[in-house]
Amino acid sequence: SSVLVCGGGHGMLVKALLAGVPVVVVPGAGDQWEMANRVARQGSGVIVRPSTVEGLRDAVARVLGDRCFAAAAARAAATAADVRDPVEVCRAALTAAVT
């Protein structure tokens, strides 16, 4: 079993969830709190609150000790193929609008 500990940036979360790895998120600034909350709502990980050594240790132990987090991360990975590339969607819309 494994877990990724990260700040909650979009790129790192995408890489973890594409690999089906649950996460422990210690959010910093910007969109990291929103991304962390989405992961928590989806069930693929937990947010460290408060941001302490004990809080981090407890969060990692919780994710490693409960298989529901890994299962939710695996479900997220399985649905990745269903997500359309936003650039392709925009190109198709622009092409349709011009023709």
Side-chain angles (χ1 to χ4, degrees):
S1 187
S2 60
V3 62
L4 173 74
V5 177
C6 66
H10 180 266
M12 188 58 71
L13 289 176
V14 167
K15 289 173 187 169
L17 296 178
L18 283 174
V21 175
V23 296
V24 168
V25 186
V26 185
D31 66 345
Q32 291 181 350
W33 276 101
E34 177 58 30
M35 298 302 295
N37 282 309
R38 289 180 185 204
V39 165
R41 283 192 304 269
Q42 191 269 339
S44 295
V46 297
I47 303 169
V48 176
R49 286 186 191 140
S51 183
T52 62
V53 171
E54 294 80 17
L56 180 59
R57 185 181 310 121
D58 291 346
V60 169
R62 180 176 170 207
V63 170
L64 289 175
D66 188 340
R67 303 237 353 110
C68 74
F69 294 105
R75 285 192 305 275
T79 63
D82 298 336
V83 178
R84 291 187 60 200
D85 179 354
V87 173
E88 295 292 324
V89 171
C90 291
R91 284 185 181 146
L94 290 172
T95 301
V98 174
T99 39

